[in-house]
Amino acid sequence: MPRGNAITTRAMRVALFITCLADQLYPEVGVSMVRVLRRLGCEVSFSPAQTCCGQPLYNAGFVPESRRVARALLDALEGDAHVVSPSGSCVAMLKHSYPSLFAEDPGQLERARALIARTHEFSQFLVNVLGVEDVGASRACRATYQPSCHGMRMLGVGDEPLRLLGKVRGLELLPLDNAQDCCGFGGLFSVKQAEISGAMVAEKSACVTRSAADTLVGTDLGCLMNIAGHLRERGAAIEALHLAQVLDSGHARA
Amino acid sequence: MKREDFLARVAAQLDRAGPRIQRRETPHATPTPAHSREQLVQRFSTELEKVGGAVQLHASAAQLELALIEFARASGARRMVSFGKRCFEQLGFDRLWRELPLNAWERGDAGCAQEFRAAAADADIGLSIAELGLAATGSMLFACAPDRPRAVSLLPRTHVAILESSALVPDLAAALLALAQRGVPASSALFVTGPSRTSDIENDLTLGVHGPAAVCVFLLHS
Amino acid sequence: MHAPEQALAERARLALDNQFLRKAVRFTVDRLRNAKSASAAALGDFEAWRERGRESRAHTIANLDRYLGEFASNLERRGGVIHFAADAAEASAICVSLARERGAKLAVKSKSMVSEEIGLNPAFEAAGIEALETDLGEWIVQLAHEAPAHIILPCIHKSRSEIRALFEAHAGEKLDEATATLAGYARRKLREKFLQADIGISGCNFAVASTGSIVMFTNEGNGRLVTTLPRTHIVLMGMERIVPDLAELALMAELLPRSATGQKLTTYMNVISGPRREGEADGPDELHVVVVDNGRSRQLGDADFQAILHCIRCGACLNVCPVYRQIGGHAYGSVYPGPIGAVLNPLFEPERELATELADASSLCGACAVACPVKIPIHDMLVKLRERNAARPTASRGTRLWMELAAGVLASPGMFAAAGRLARFAQRATIGDGSRWRWLGTRLPLAGAWLRERRLPRAPRRSFRELWPELEREVRR
């Protein structure tokens, strides 16, 4: 995939797959995404028919229920634009699990495959599709990056977020111990096995604190919500931001 | 459960998934690049030392014999056991048998075997000959045979092995290939890589738990 | 040993309260996984090796009947005796009967997880035969009447002073705490037993079909003593532990030690082909191999779970699992801990409640699947197990109703938007981020569990979909 540094002027059509979590609890992440994509010359659309990818139901073992929700998403994201999402785990749900979810229904399976082919996680879209690493952002901060488990392991998100963060002016990137270890969110796991999840997030928070960063950057809102929630409960002053928000920094409001 | 029934059940279960795949070509590992004997000797020594073994190089059997005697004396060994003398014939040892407190295995009855085992359990040093050396890991192959008791490399505190550099192969894949080409497999084909070890106690490594605490290789390389 | 009536959450809580255990587990898994990474990197293209490993195991299991048949014939050709056990009871009965027939009083054992699966030790005790573990870690947990905490390092949960106390009680003599002293005591004590034992019982890492051999990868030397000194050697083997030939064994020998401990090769790799031959000085007079099913064949032909039989028991998944890292092995309350255990135990013991619960002991992060040297999709199997659990007649109807309700709401954009607005409003008006009305917050279902450890994000007045019309105008300018 070509990796350039220049801001592209291609007019690419992008349909936003906002995810239920960002839609309801972190709309500012969606706003930042749209602004960043716009600045890169993308024409962004949003279909309000979308709700959720069905992952929480699927992971809990409720497959028919999950399928019902997934089918609605197939309808909502119908089209031929690139679909871009701020969540590694939601995109992974599509790519990794939709084929088996619709395995018995050839018609839906075809639609799912077509959707999967044009769906991208945000950082992968910027670096691998748009060929961009420098989006012209600036943010003076000491940041550390928490990768998304599903993004890393199921989508192969590698150093794309780090490349993007590396070009943010004024941002000092600090290493995070055991970054590859799960923060303990796991969706319903965080409340169903609350003690184990609590122990996991406690260790993760300790690593974040040890990094001496003032900003925690992630590509999955579940992770951020989990780690930031834990840090905040203990009075830590750290700011937790989605990658899109960092990349949206330093620009005058359009 | 009867064999036929057990296997039939396995087959029936597998058949649920549809027709079986035909036998495929056994995938061969990428062939190991050619090594000179010098390289093999070097690698073998480095690897064995990494796992806590010791290697001495000797250019002749005579030198090697002297070194063995010296080693046994310096270590204060009161008692030693070894493979049958026939195994050492080509090396032409002489002084060794006369000067060291050594029980060489001699074929005999069950009583002999019991005695030998007791001797081995009591011995400080077990003297053996390795059939193959594996350069990539510093390992040695000992295939059991009537002249080559298992006890020699197992019961004494220190395991001494004589290895000829011509018996070095690059790695385990090569060694297993060699084994596969033999007709009837030995009752025990043992690969030894350094001294016995454990980290079971608080992750703290210690050598010589049940097996030998030291492995010393006398490598004949002219 | 296990207290199967305790639920997972309770067992986890006990483990989480044990600071020594937690520290020991973290130290151990860090050491092992770092060693594995270094060792795997040294091999070169580890992903290519993993794929070869996957293919090898997949081919073998897909043709298991053939290879088992071949193994049996070749083992017999070498003078060994083969037994087939449909389940745990039959397997331990075979062993007890072999021991009784030979008037055995003492059996020495080298590590075998299958022997735990079949309850061999209690069966022997009941028959008046001493079954003595000889792996240092296994002996320690046996003396302590506990279960192992890790597949490769069974007694990481025990401190050296605990071990010293155990040995002193056993020995009636004073010992110091140095590792060498403690290991030296074990060597002395167990050496006597090896020499007295009537029967040696071992596990088997792999059985080679083409030669009728069983292969053991060990480090301490007790495996060799157990399989050399006693007159009778019994091997307990899970039926899936077959490799077709020595070339495939070479492949497994590259993957197993590196994945387990980071070693290139274990100290001892013993390829045993039958009992001792005529004229040999030592070695067992008899070799018996007990091939155990105990729930394994049920997975064959099952597209979702057949791959679990590919497992080579390396423990790499344990060492990267963020859940295992926190709770250690005992919390799984079953023979097999960690991610592999969370799948194996419920499949082998579907009637055990705690075993079925293990599918929940995971955040589905996928680290296990990536670490597995033969690419078993453990995380996918956990989801499949949850699906099975949800479909059981005993599954909670309340949960099912909530899930159906949730699906209804999520499948309808109008209902989703409305429900979202309502929930956000309720949160802002009451508990907020969880710092307000804490007493109420921590008592709520679901949200309460969250709030005990964390704040919530402050719910925004407007969702993204509510902001969109304005945002759209902004970006169209």
Side-chain angles (χ1 to χ4, degrees), chain C residues 102-261:
Chain C
R102 286 148 188 77
K105 286 275 146 273
L106 171 63
V108 285
K109 293 182 64 196
S110 146
K111 171 80 135 236
S112 163
M113 304 212 65
V114 174
S115 78
E116 280 169 53
E117 231 188 277
I118 69 172
L120 182 75
N121 290 11
F124 266 38
E125 309 284 318
I129 305 165
E130 188 187 349
L132 181 64
E133 299 291 343
T134 63
D135 280 51
L136 180 56
E138 296 285 349
W139 184 47
I140 290 169
V141 300
Q142 185 177 49
L143 287 175
H145 302 290
E146 289 171 9
H150 187 282
I151 286 180
I152 308 293
L153 293 169
C155 71
I156 54 177
H157 60 295
K158 297 215 91 58
S159 69
R160 67 177 63 242
S161 62
E162 281 175 321
I163 294 170
R164 188 212 12 201
L166 265 175
F167 285 179
E168 279 185 353
H170 183 255
E173 60 181 84
K174 281 241 150 277
L175 297 164
D176 66 66
E177 273 185 12
T179 307
T181 309
L182 297 173
Y185 173 72
R187 182 193 174 97
R188 262 188 296 129
K189 259 284 106 62
L190 291 172
R191 190 51 87 84
E192 297 162 18
K193 297 293 192 172
F194 290 123
L195 294 164
Q196 289 164 21
D198 307 298
I199 299 201
I201 301 181
S202 76
C204 154
N205 294 94
F206 298 105
V208 185
S210 65
T211 57
S213 314
I214 67 115
V215 188
M216 293 170 58
F217 288 77
T218 60
N219 280 306
E220 293 179 20
N222 60 312
R224 292 178 58 196
L225 290 162
V226 162
T227 60
T228 299
L229 298 179
R231 302 183 54 145
T232 304
H233 174 199
I234 301 176
V235 181
L236 285 167
M237 176 191 139
M239 61 188 274
E240 81 284 13
R241 305 298 234 126
I242 293 265
V243 292
D245 53 33
L246 290 174
E248 305 266 349
L249 175 66
L251 170 58
M252 290 299 131
E254 287 293 354
L255 293 174
L256 174 62
R258 286 173 199 265
S259 302
T261 57

Side-chain angles (χ1 to χ4, degrees), chain A residues 67 97-106 109 113:
Chain A
R67 192 176 298 124
S97 304
Y98 272 29
S100 76
L101 199 53
F102 293 109
E104 314 281 305
D105 187 339
L109 182 60
R113 287 205 196 285

Side-chain angles (χ1 to χ4, degrees), chain C residues 41-63:
Chain C
L43 258 189
D45 186 357
F46 196 57
E47 285 308 301
W49 281 94
R50 291 180 72 218
E51 177 52 29
R52 287 172 54 213
R54 185 204 65 75
E55 195 280 332
S56 173
R57 294 301 292 147
H59 166 82
T60 305
I61 297 302
N63 293 281

Side-chain angles (χ1 to χ4, degrees), chain A residues 3-247:
Chain A
R3 292 180 175 202
N5 276 325
I7 294 177
T8 184
T9 52
R10 276 172 287 171
M12 191 165 284
R13 287 181 308 111
V14 170
L16 206 58
F17 167 28
I18 189 63
T19 79
C20 55
L21 199 52
D23 179 29
Q24 293 295 318
L25 290 179
Y26 297 99
E28 62 273 23
V29 171
V31 172
S32 286
M33 264 184 78
V34 171
R35 288 181 179 152
V36 170
L37 288 167
R38 177 70 181 86
R39 265 179 229 117
L40 295 176
C42 296
E43 196 186 295
V44 185
S45 64
F46 171 73
S47 160
Q50 65 184 273
T51 55
C52 172
C53 65
Q55 183 174 76
L57 293 165
Y58 185 80
N59 286 350
F62 290 88
V63 178
E65 290 80 0
S66 167
R67 192 176 298 124
R68 192 176 157 193
V69 176
R71 223 176 5 242
L73 190 71
L74 291 186
D75 293 336
L77 296 179
E78 191 82 64
D80 54 9
H82 288 285
V83 172
V84 181
S85 174
S87 165
S89 66
C90 302
V91 176
M93 175 68 192
L94 259 65
K95 299 205 181 208
H96 190 72
S97 304
Y98 272 29
S100 76
L101 199 53
F102 293 109
E104 314 281 305
D105 187 339
Q108 299 293 0
L109 182 60
E110 209 186 301
R111 294 177 74 206
R113 287 205 196 285
L115 176 60
I116 288 167
R118 59 192 170 89
T119 300
H120 312 272
E121 185 270 345
F122 182 62
S123 71
Q124 290 186 311
F125 183 70
L126 291 183
V127 176
N128 300 330
V129 179
L130 294 184
V132 166
E133 285 176 21
D134 185 347
V135 304
S138 55
R139 189 180 191 102
C141 62
R142 294 154 58 82
T144 194
Y145 163 65
Q146 171 61 46
S148 153
C149 284
H150 292 152
M152 243 196 322
R153 299 192 179 101
M154 292 188 229
L155 298 180
V157 172
D159 61 355
E160 290 92 331
L162 291 168
R163 287 169 177 269
L164 291 160
L165 288 171
K167 296 290 195 295
V168 176
R169 291 150 192 75
L171 185 147
E172 185 188 348
L173 201 46
L174 299 168
L176 178 63
D177 287 341
N178 294 336
Q180 76 288 346
D181 284 348
C182 178
C183 71
F185 179 60
L188 288 172
F189 171 81
S190 58
V191 292
K192 282 176 70 179
Q193 292 297 332
E195 306 235 10
I196 304 176
S197 171
M200 289 162 76
V201 73
E203 186 170 345
K204 178 63 67 179
S205 296
C207 290
V208 171
T209 305
R210 241 194 342 266
S211 76
D214 53 47
T215 307
L216 171 67
V217 185
T219 51
D220 219 301
L221 290 168
C223 315
L224 284 172
M225 185 168 77
N226 184 36
I227 305 169
H230 191 265
L231 286 167
R232 222 143 271 150
E233 175 65 23
R234 278 143 196 82
I238 199 161
E239 190 169 16
L241 296 173
H242 187 276
L243 177 67
Q245 293 173 285
V246 176
L247 297 180

Side-chain angles (χ1 to χ4, degrees), chain C residues 268-332:
Chain C
Y268 306 113
M269 182 184 128
N270 203 351
V271 181
I272 295 172
S273 309
R276 70 152 95 182
R277 304 272 190 277
E278 182 80 48
E280 282 177 10
D282 45 25
D285 295 325
E286 303 179 276
L287 174 65
H288 293 263
V289 178
V290 182
V291 180
V292 180
D293 184 344
N294 201 31
R296 289 158 174 74
S297 65
R298 242 193 340 262
Q299 319 315 324
L300 293 169
D302 183 336
D304 293 331
F305 295 110
Q306 178 167 318
I308 203 64
L309 298 179
H310 299 182
C311 177
I312 62 175
R313 305 287 192 274
C314 68
C317 55
L318 271 68
N319 299 329
V320 297
C321 177
V323 170
Y324 178 86
R325 185 188 181 82
Q326 301 300 328
I327 64 177
H330 294 156
Y332 292 79

